[in-house]
Amino acid sequence: MIPVTKPFMPPREEYEEYLKKVWEREWVTNNGPLVQELEQKLKDFLDVPNMLYLSNGTIALQVAIKALGLKGEIITTPFSYVATTSSIVWEGCEPVFVDIDPHTLNINPALIEEAITDKTTGILVTHVFGNPCDIEAIQAIADKHNLKVIYDAAHCFGTTYKGRSVFEYGDISTTSFHATKLFHTVEGGAVFTRNEDLNYRMSRMRNFGHAGPGKFDGVGINGKNSEFHAAMGLCNLTHIEEILNSRKQQCLLYDKLLKEAPVQSISIQEQAEWNYAYYPVIFESEAVTLMINKALKKNDIYPRRYFYPSLETLEYVKNEEMMISKDISKRILCLPVYFDLTNTEQVSITKTLKIVL
Ligand SMILES: *Cc1c(COP(=O)(O)O)cnc(C)c1O
């Protein structure tokens, strides 16, 4: 069976070395030494000033919304994972969808201004499939209308924009280290900001608002992560160059194998170095997409309709039709990419695909 993705598993002995230390210390959570070590190593690797390691990427979004004090309406994208929208609703705000660009699949900045009202306080958008949004255009609109910007950068580990980690852009960037992501800690996530006050506030928020034993500084939540998760991250980080490189080679091979096929791939943002986290392909119609999906499944290959459905169709949001997002969501599949996927498997995946096309 070939799934759409598999978690990278480091050599077990490497993980067990960390377990020994955990057993010696009997310190298993609450900002332990492995969590601190992982935070430092990730900051060094990504070359970012601040990062707070959290329990998952959804809590990261919620902490970001809370820390910026967003209220009322938040402009967002209909083409993302459900957590982008549900976090907005969970924080008591209203998502206002703006349609996407059909080539990058990111929010179309030219449509943002007409969606802004006097209730709008922020923009929360996803760098879809690790491909940066039009950051400059979004920041200009935010500055003009005094809005905060949060990037859901859950797919972006290793992506750079203008030579800097894409996590450095926006008021806050969030990411996910879930097992399905390029770099993972089983479950996990993070928030990034260049603003020291915000960073301080979020560091309190992730730990119930504690400012010392019996002392509280604002409302908080339990957003901490454990030594066991951090240990997985420390192991995986030593293999990150191989992981990034294998993804890149696999995507380039798919490009080659599908060169003649009638499929559309995404346009990467100029001045970005993409991390090749996913391999999305867009077909000419939903009928063809479903046929491909079926043919692949028959061969024990499981791509994913990602993202499907378009998020404005959720029952708990205002259903304003997003033509492009809805259309693309019906015609897109992410082909398998994961560390030990072989070239032979990729050839067989594209062969099956080309028979239908
Ligand atoms: C994975 C993902 C999330 C949620 O992250 P978790 O760590 O699973 O909570 C949010 N947004 C996007 C775009 C994602 O892909």
Side-chain angles (χ1 to χ4, degrees):
M1 177 186 125
I2 306 178
V4 64
T5 192
K6 268 197 231 179
F8 176 81
M9 298 301 284
R12 198 164 134 183
E13 315 78 68
E14 293 178 17
Y15 190 71
E16 282 165 355
E17 279 306 305
Y18 283 105
L19 290 187
K20 272 189 214 148
K21 294 187 214 162
V22 174
W23 252 261
E24 279 162 23
R25 284 191 288 258
E26 300 183 332
W27 187 353
V28 294
T29 187
N30 286 359
N31 203 26
L34 296 181
V35 163
Q36 292 174 39
E37 187 181 337
L38 179 65
E39 276 185 350
Q40 192 52 54
K41 287 194 167 155
L42 285 172
K43 282 191 278 189
D44 293 345
F45 177 78
L46 297 163
D47 195 19
V48 295
N50 296 312
M51 183 201 109
L52 298 167
Y53 180 47
L54 302 176
S55 47
N56 59 64
T58 306
I59 283 286
L61 285 166
Q62 289 172 208
V63 165
I65 295 168
K66 192 79 92 193
L68 290 168
L70 301 189
K71 299 266 179 290
E73 296 174 1
I74 299 178
I75 305 261
T76 189
T77 174
F79 193 73
S80 183
Y81 183 58
V82 68
T84 316
T85 298
S86 63
S87 301
I88 294 173
V89 176
W90 195 270
E91 289 304 318
C93 299
E94 189 181 332
V96 173
F97 295 101
V98 166
D99 213 346
I100 57 169
D101 176 285
H103 305 290
T104 62
L105 312 187
N106 287 324
I107 195 165
N108 182 346
L111 304 175
I112 293 178
E113 278 195 291
E114 60 197 70
I116 295 174
T117 72
D118 55 5
K119 292 197 205 118
T120 311
T121 57
I123 300 174
L124 195 178
V125 285
T126 304
H127 300 304
V128 174
F129 301 134
N131 179 29
C133 291
D134 190 340
I135 289 171
E136 238 104 278
I138 292 169
Q139 195 57 52
I141 296 164
D143 290 344
K144 182 170 158 197
H145 296 272
N146 199 20
L147 305 176
K148 300 293 184 194
V149 179
I150 300 171
Y151 285 114
D152 181 342
H155 298 168
C156 292
F157 197 90
T159 291
T160 60
Y161 178 71
K162 293 191 164 177
R164 285 160 57 193
S165 169
V166 79
F167 295 144
E168 288 215 54
Y169 295 89
D171 291 286
I172 300 174
S173 270
T174 69
T175 199
S176 165
F177 302 135
H178 183 258
T180 54
K181 308 299 201 263
L182 187 151
F183 169 78
H184 80 91
T185 68
V186 186
E187 293 277 355
V191 284
F192 302 83
T193 181
R194 277 163 288 127
N195 180 316
E196 297 297 333
D197 284 345
L198 261 181
N199 193 59
Y200 172 81
R201 221 176 316 147
M202 292 194 291
S203 74
R204 291 286 176 260
M205 279 184 170
R206 82 167 155 182
N207 187 25
F208 307 100
H210 266 296
K215 262 181 69 188
F216 296 94
D217 183 4
V219 67
I221 195 166
N222 183 356
K224 295 178 272 97
N225 214 331
S226 80
E227 294 292 277
F228 293 84
H229 294 85
M232 185 60 113
L234 286 164
C235 291
N236 289 346
L237 193 57
T238 64
H239 297 279
I240 191 65
E241 295 299 344
E242 303 159 69
I243 296 172
L244 285 164
N245 192 47
S246 76
R247 282 287 220 280
K248 179 171 178 178
Q249 297 314 322
Q250 288 167 7
C251 288
L252 294 178
L253 180 58
Y254 273 135
D255 279 348
K256 229 165 85 185
L257 293 166
L258 292 172
K259 212 166 73 195
E260 311 287 320
V263 296
Q264 182 201 325
S265 46
I266 56 170
S267 314
I268 301 302
Q269 179 68 46
E270 271 175 51
Q271 305 199 61
E273 285 270 354
W274 185 38
N275 63 358
Y276 299 90
Y278 297 85
Y279 197 85
V281 277
I282 302 164
F283 302 97
E284 65 179 73
S285 67
E286 185 172 29
V288 169
T289 311
L290 294 175
M291 253 153 55
I292 299 265
N293 207 14
K294 213 167 129 191
L296 289 170
K297 275 185 185 156
K298 231 188 224 159
N299 287 286
D300 224 12
I301 301 161
Y302 297 88
R304 198 163 148 210
R305 300 190 77 187
Y306 199 53
F307 300 109
Y308 178 88
S310 188
L311 295 171
E312 84 280 7
T313 63
L314 289 167
E315 48 90 15
Y316 53 80
V317 301
K318 258 197 211 141
N319 188 332
E320 241 186 277
E321 196 168 43
M322 296 286 121
M323 299 296 284
I324 296 173
S325 173
K326 203 168 162 187
D327 172 48
I328 299 270
S329 71
K330 290 178 178 170
R331 299 192 285 124
I332 193 165
L333 291 179
C334 280
L335 299 186
V337 276
Y338 51 87
F339 188 71
D340 41 17
L341 181 72
T342 64
N343 290 359
T344 323
E345 286 171 323
Q346 287 191 267
V347 170
S348 106
I349 291 165
T350 51
K351 256 193 194 150
T352 310
L353 209 138
K354 282 193 267 189
I355 291 170
V356 178
L357 288 171

